[in-house]
Amino acid sequence: MPDVIKAYIESLPKENICYTYILDPKSDRHSKAEQLKVFNGFIDLLDRNDHTSTPLLFLISKWDLVSKEYRDAEEYLKKEYPPIWGTLSETARKISFAEFTIGEVNSDNTLIKKYSPKYAEKVFNWFYKNQTGDSLIAELNSKKKKRFKNPFKK
């Protein structure tokens, strides 16, 4: 772990803090084994410093590159990173996970062709809700149910 990350985890107060962990599913620099090792090191560092109940948001970045192969983050993690999925599923932890993408990017990753704000809005809402207890956007479960038209009514 870089010293700056260690410093945050080891020295900052445990109250009013949360962490974000970002996994790159198409990393050119780190293999899956290396990414798994870094994640395990990060979780170990949190555990050694009594951050087991500190909120953590685990994001799968560049979701647009793998979204055609997987239904959602859960399916991706279960198939590609079972050990990470096991850690994220531990009930004693306050870990959320989600897909993330900025939108459509050109082939050399130098230009955003189409920006998609929905993922950024979800991330911002997660931080806001963890700090205030209130949600800025409607939760998935509270969407109004659509009513079907009565075909017999004129």
Side-chain angles (χ1 to χ4, degrees), residues 9-18 46 49-51 54-55:
I9 293 172
E10 293 171 350
S11 23
L12 286 178
K14 290 164 188 51
E15 300 79 32
N16 200 27
I17 194 166
C18 52
L46 289 177
N49 288 278
D50 299 320
H51 280 285
T54 300

Side-chain angles (χ1 to χ4, degrees), residues 67 93 104-105 134:
S67 64
R93 298 185 186 276
E104 290 180 35
V105 182
D134 295 322

Side-chain angles (χ1 to χ4, degrees), residues 140-153:
L140 295 175
N141 296 339
S142 65
K143 287 184 180 177
K144 292 183 179 179
K145 293 181 180 177
K146 292 182 180 180
R147 293 190 178 161
F148 293 101
K149 287 185 177 183
N150 183 346
F152 303 107
K153 189 175 178 181

Side-chain angles (χ1 to χ4, degrees), residues 5-150:
I5 293 175
K6 288 180 185 176
Y8 274 103
I9 293 172
E10 293 171 350
S11 23
L12 286 178
K14 290 164 188 51
E15 300 79 32
N16 200 27
I17 194 166
C18 52
Y19 296 102
T20 305
Y21 189 94
I22 300 172
L23 177 81
D24 180 351
K26 297 288 184 177
S27 177
D28 295 333
R29 294 177 17 188
H30 305 289
S31 69
K32 282 176 68 172
E34 290 170 323
Q35 290 194 57
L36 183 57
K37 184 177 176 183
V38 170
F39 175 76
N40 288 335
F42 179 72
I43 291 296
D44 183 55
L45 186 60
L46 289 177
D47 290 351
R48 282 185 285 133
N49 288 278
D50 299 320
H51 280 285
T52 53
S53 61
T54 300
L56 171 65
L57 177 58
F58 184 97
L59 294 176
I60 301 168
S61 69
K62 301 178 185 174
W63 184 250
D64 54 303
L65 300 179
V66 296
S67 64
K68 290 178 179 72
E69 300 169 53
Y70 303 95
R71 180 177 57 250
D72 55 22
E74 181 176 339
E75 180 183 27
Y76 174 80
L77 290 166
K78 283 179 177 177
K79 287 184 178 178
E80 299 295 332
Y81 290 94
I84 290 177
W85 175 249
T87 300
L88 299 182
S89 301
E90 292 175 2
T91 56
R93 298 185 186 276
K94 287 182 70 174
I95 300 178
S96 302
F97 59 91
E99 308 87 12
F100 185 84
T101 183
I102 198 73
E104 290 180 35
V105 182
N106 67 351
S107 60
D108 62 354
N109 292 322
T110 58
L111 180 68
I112 299 171
K113 294 181 353 184
K114 183 179 178 186
Y115 174 65
S116 177
K118 74 178 185 176
Y119 296 99
E121 289 170 355
K122 285 181 180 181
V123 170
F124 183 81
N125 187 63
W126 182 87
F127 282 109
Y128 187 84
K129 188 172 182 180
N130 269 281
Q131 296 304 307
T132 67
D134 295 322
S135 181
L136 291 171
I137 58 177
E139 297 294 324
L140 295 175
N141 296 339
S142 65
K143 287 184 180 177
K144 292 183 179 179
K145 293 181 180 177
K146 292 182 180 180
R147 293 190 178 161
F148 293 101
K149 287 185 177 183
N150 183 346

